[in-house]
Amino acid sequence: MTQAQLMSGTDIARGIVETAAARAAAFAQAHGRKPCLATVIVGDDPASVTYVRMKRNRSAQAGIDSRHVALPAETTTGQLVAAIGELSTDPGVDGILLQHPVPAHIDERAAFEAIDPAKDVDGVTMHSFAAMAFGEPGFHCATPGGIMRLLDAYGVKPAGRHAVVIGRSPILGKPVGMLLLARDATVTYCHSKTVDLPAIVGTADILVAAVGRPEFVRGEHLKDGAVVVDAGYNPGNVGDVHFTSAAQKASLITPVPGGVGPMTIAVLLEQTVTAALTRTAPRTPPTARSA
Ligand code: NAP
């Protein structure tokens, strides 16, 4: 019997996108153009092509223009950095999304760092990561930011609770752990070298699975009443959590699809509109203190 309540990313994302669309419309009225998100893809990996198409469609629905740059799989790091550099200096572009992962021969970090931090609406640069880590204003990495918004929407309070994050990638596991830490959770990271992972998972009040392995976490691993966030998205719409067994132990759980995925796109769109408004805002004259 299922005891868990679903945390519907689809429902919560709808409200975030509606607000972003209203702000985008106000921006368009004031500036005579819509906010613009540039999407960059290297190669033709079918999953990445689908993700980018979905993000562009959602942008259009929210009144955000998109500009698409599709580069061949054999693109070099230098060529990709140059292409992103052009978008970074283009005044008509407000946000830049480089679809991850890029082909293995490319230095992904160098490519991410070519994004102007003011346009880093997917939150992938070191600047954005540092701002997040220090609790300073900046763009959140979209998926971790979306996860936090979903937890907030369902009244989950991380303070004092044990949060276990499986995965430590720079765009997902590591930043979501830091955002949970910033909310006073006690955070444990698990990864491929972790010894006795099931025992650690069994102590989690909040579990974030960001492993990239289908149905890696099973209900029997979980503590009764755990809050389970499945960030995984594997071929065939399968998450990193075995949903049926986990839903019998969890108090709250995200579905796949319809959980973290829509929240990621919603945060991306919200941050694109914020970037447009921030970049075009009149500069405040320096005060005596800041001059
Ligand atoms: P990634 O870069 O491949 O990182 C996977 C992480 O899982 C690594 O830290 C790795 O550990 C760890 N790991 C792998 N095998 C493990 C094992 N057997 N035991 C414990 N830890 C293990 O993946 P990612 O980009 O973070 O993505 C993770 C998942 O989230 C994927 O399914 C991806 O499709 C999904 N995703 C979803 C969204 C969305 O919007 N819904 C966005 C981004 C990603 P090491 O560090 O030790 O190698």
Side-chain angles (χ1 to χ4, degrees):
M1 194 194 73
T2 301
Q3 70 163 40
Q5 182 193 350
L6 276 188
M7 290 187 280
S8 170
T10 306
D11 287 352
I12 304 305
R14 193 177 299 122
I16 296 172
V17 174
E18 277 170 14
T19 304
R23 293 169 71 221
F27 176 89
Q29 194 151 35
H31 296 274
R33 69 168 182 88
K34 296 176 179 176
C36 175
L37 172 67
T39 54
V40 182
I41 189 165
V42 185
D44 53 6
D45 170 62
S48 293
V49 170
T50 305
Y51 296 149
V52 169
R53 192 186 309 124
M54 207 187 295
K55 288 167 185 172
R56 297 184 70 213
N57 288 344
R58 295 284 154 74
S59 295
Q61 288 162 7
I64 296 170
D65 273 340
S66 56
R67 186 180 310 176
H68 189 49
V69 178
L71 298 168
E74 56 276 14
T75 300
T76 64
T77 298
Q79 289 166 333
L80 179 56
V81 165
I84 294 173
E86 274 179 36
L87 296 170
S88 284
T89 54
D90 186 330
V93 170
D94 299 300
I96 301 171
L97 166 92
L98 170 61
Q99 185 61 38
H100 156 101
V102 292
H105 68 274
I106 290 178
D107 179 347
E108 185 175 81
R109 180 47 44 200
F112 280 152
E113 293 311 313
I115 299 173
D116 175 352
K119 300 185 180 186
D120 182 21
V121 294
D122 204 26
V124 294
T125 60
M126 289 197 280
H127 181 281
S128 296
F129 190 91
M132 177 203 66
F134 284 104
E136 294 292 334
F139 293 121
H140 280 172
C141 218
T143 304
I147 290 171
M148 297 308 293
R149 298 285 284 278
L150 196 55
L151 292 175
D152 285 343
Y154 282 89
V156 177
K157 305 235 180 302
R161 304 180 82 188
H162 186 204
V164 174
V165 181
I166 316 178
R168 56 175 168 177
S169 73
I171 57 126
L172 213 179
K174 210 172 274 178
V176 82
M178 300 193 72
L179 290 173
L180 286 160
L181 179 66
R183 296 287 202 83
D184 298 326
T186 302
V187 180
T188 302
Y189 286 99
C190 296
H191 48 76
S192 65
K193 308 290 188 295
T194 297
V195 175
D196 202 3
L197 185 144
I200 298 170
V201 168
T203 65
D205 301 309
I206 300 170
L207 178 78
V208 180
V211 205
R213 298 192 181 258
E215 301 182 336
F216 182 80
V217 175
R218 302 191 60 90
E220 54 267 32
H221 301 149
L222 298 171
K223 180 169 164 176
D224 272 327
V227 173
V228 177
V229 177
D230 187 352
Y233 197 65
N234 304 292
N237 279 349
V238 178
D240 286 349
V241 175
H242 183 263
F243 183 85
T244 315
S245 61
Q248 291 176 21
K249 285 286 217 45
S251 56
L252 287 161
I253 188 168
T254 56
V256 176
V260 172
M263 294 300 295
T264 298
I265 298 181
V267 168
L268 175 74
L269 301 186
E270 178 181 67
Q271 295 194 145
T272 299
V273 179
T274 299
L277 289 164
T278 308
R279 290 180 58 250
T280 54
R283 293 184 136 214
T284 317
T287 60
R289 188 166 162 263
S290 64

